[in-house]
Amino acid sequence: GRELLINGQPVLMRGVNRHEHDDVHCKVMSEASMLADIALMKQSNINAVRNSHYPCTDRWYELCDEHGLYVIDEANIECHGVYYRLCDDPRWTTTWVERGKRMVQRTRNHASIIMWSLGNESGYGANHDTLAGWIRAADPARPLHYEGCVSRSEGDGDWEGGKASTDVTCPMYPSIDEIVEYANDPAATRPLIMCEYAHSMGNSTGNLADYWEAIESHHGLQGGFIWDWVDQGLRTTAVDSANNEVTYWGYGGDFGDKINDAQFCINGLIWPDRTPHPALEECRRLFQPVDVTPTADGFAIVNKRYFRDLSDLDITWTLYADGHPVTSGTIEPLAIAPQTSQSVVLDLPEPTDDVDEQYVTFRFTLNRDDTLIEAGHEVGWVQQWLKEREYSPSTFNLKTGADRRGDESAVLADGLLRADFSAADGGLAGLSVDGQQLLAGPLALSIWRAPTDNDEALIYTGDLQLAERWKAAGLDNLTLTTTGFDVDTDSVSVTTEARADGELRFTHRHRYSLVDATLAVENTVEPVADLPPLPRLGLRTRLVDLAPQVRYFGRGPHENYIDRNTGAAVDIHHGTVDDFHVPYIYPQENGNRTDLRWLQVTGGNGSGVRIAGDQLFQASLSRFDAHQLTAATATWQLTPDDYVTLYLDHRHSGLGGGSCGPMTLDRYLVPPEPVSFALYLTGVGTGAT
């Protein structure tokens, strides 16, 4: 029935690929490190591991047996350079079979192993079928796995082929459309379990929620294994610009090695010291074993497990109005059977007219210790909206505004807040609250982001990398020029043009008006050239205070992007500028927050600004601007700026998985088309009401 059954149940593989890696001892694994991996996997709702691409140390299997992970054990067979030659060469048959035999004979008594893999990326030929025949005779209870049987990388793959050597269809990096097409094909006879997908190199793992929407809604799709678990960086040292010795994680080329794949070994969900990347939160949320769905009179608690009820989980709920808690309660543990649900009714007040949005957050925590997880650990959470905020995006037209140059400067002031404008600076040049200057630079059009690993990847169609297309269009080197500056009694209108190599790329018209200590910033941005999808589209400025306090109502508390924000809860979050920076081993774009209702930044004296929009917006703060991040190849090369850059994005491109898979989906790209948006800056300080 196109299902891989474990004890009779079609368990979804919420898996990862794992290399044996230690940042000091290389391939020599300690028990403590292996236990740390298993504990973090289980805390993140990961249930399966593919040993990539070789059998592991003996103790690994014992620990997986003891603590409960499904394991694909993989033969140490890989031959990229002679992909289709050795697999059909009879001179290699004995060696080929011996490697698979030793794997099976060594570990077949481990209950954690659910499949045998015939190796990795070695084509498909008679030697595979010979090894498969031996394993089927020696251990007939376990299915076989081998991606090479269905590989399409050479153009002659067949997802229904290779049945002598694989019992599952296990492609690498298929698109979502491809796996859905397979699920809808009545001729497809095997379960599809992706052996690699969602390539997690650097700031990545975009589109994961889209994969899992397809997996959970289509029979025959049974999950997969993310590439991969841990960044394979090695601890080393360098001397920085201040002549200080610094420790960092090196990669290919950092050790005098001339043949290398640079940072292509830095593609994990966690850093080498087992600190999680923000992307692991996306996995934890999407893989959680419990859900909540609305019903006619309440909610249904859904048990997504296959073998256990939910009696080990405490359930709490909190009702929020515009991000503030209103009331909360507890639901007694429910012994909901696997793969069933139970309805609950909560005593919730009706939303009032003065509330823009109202939602309930459910949280599920362990009420007793589980293997390697202590009681109190949050297994999952769900948010359900009772009233959604209604936005009315501005429809203003600034095309005819600011078409003349009059005064070269202007001031708008209203008690607490003062805004200074300069034609030379392209518009807003200064903003002070309670007499405290907030800005160290103008508020200007922002298009560029430091390319991620995925942005710099070659797309499978053979098109240029996104980053190369951006650079070819000059988006990394835009020059802004004021061409219009128009002042009247209560507003300032400005026209700014962005050029690259002398050629016009964007026209930005912005109008500022001040009412009741709120500065409205209305924007129309028009791309005027043939441009690729944009990195971002919004505004940026520089803050004077180097240690601002930040509060925001949106998704967090960790970094998130438009195609990787399912694991970030909507709430009022708070922190500092340092909480926004994510120190990826290969520096790149980082720190974004999505679905912002408002963002508030205050300095040490309590003065600051709250920024809202006429629609949801995105933002980040950084001590390293996009151009410094673009130029750096290691964290030790970064030097904090003497200002903080604040990015306020109307749109910001998703992340995708293009470094080894599908690029950012079209719906998460930023099309080069005219847009209008408004931001509202309100002063916050000791004089505020």
Side-chain angles (χ1 to χ4, degrees), residues 391-606:
Y391 281 96
S392 298
S394 300
T395 57
F396 48 85
N397 187 332
L398 302 180
K399 290 185 178 181
T400 59
D403 56 357
R404 69 180 182 86
R405 292 291 291 269
D407 298 332
E408 293 297 302
S409 64
V411 175
L412 295 177
D414 187 355
L416 185 70
L417 188 146
R418 172 188 167 114
D420 291 88
F421 299 89
S422 163
D425 288 325
L428 181 65
L431 187 70
S432 60
V433 176
D434 257 1
Q436 178 66 41
Q437 183 61 239
L438 301 180
L439 302 187
L443 188 66
L445 179 67
S446 176
I447 301 295
W448 181 248
R449 79 176 186 190
T452 67
D453 286 299
N454 290 338
D455 295 335
E456 294 185 322
L458 183 67
I459 302 168
Y460 280 1
T461 60
D463 293 340
L464 284 176
Q465 307 157 347
L466 268 177
E468 290 304 312
R469 295 166 68 192
W470 294 342
K471 291 176 182 178
L475 302 186
D476 62 330
N477 192 29
L478 294 174
T479 300
L480 303 181
T481 305
T482 303
T483 58
F485 193 83
D486 190 6
V487 181
D488 62 25
T489 56
D490 58 0
S491 69
V492 178
S493 297
V494 185
T495 299
T496 306
E497 291 184 349
R499 294 178 178 270
D501 299 323
E503 297 295 325
L504 185 62
R505 293 290 184 266
F506 299 91
T507 298
H508 177 206
R509 294 181 172 89
H510 33 136
R511 181 171 61 214
Y512 303 83
S513 54
L514 185 60
V515 180
D516 297 332
T518 294
L519 182 69
V521 186
E522 300 167 296
N523 301 271
T524 292
V525 181
E526 292 182 88
V528 294
D530 183 16
L531 299 173
L534 307 177
R536 66 187 341 142
L537 195 159
L539 307 176
R540 60 173 168 79
T541 188
R542 295 174 176 177
L543 304 179
V544 172
D545 198 305
L546 295 183
Q549 298 297 306
V550 186
R551 296 178 71 230
Y552 60 94
F553 183 21
R555 292 194 178 273
H558 51 272
E559 167 195 88
N560 57 90
Y561 288 78
I562 193 64
D563 62 350
R564 201 194 70 208
N565 65 3
T566 303
V570 173
D571 203 346
I572 296 177
H573 304 283
H574 58 86
T576 68
V577 64
D578 294 323
D579 296 324
F580 277 74
H581 181 65
V582 182
Y584 291 107
I585 292 175
Y586 184 84
Q588 55 198 272
E589 159 63 33
N590 70 87
N592 192 59
R593 303 296 192 272
T594 65
D595 288 351
L596 296 184
R597 285 73 168 161
W598 53 259
L599 171 81
Q600 180 173 301
V601 181
T602 54
N605 68 343

Side-chain angles (χ1 to χ4, degrees), residues 416 433-434 517 606-608 682-689:
L416 185 70
V433 176
D434 257 1
S607 296
T682 304
V684 176
T686 57
T689 57

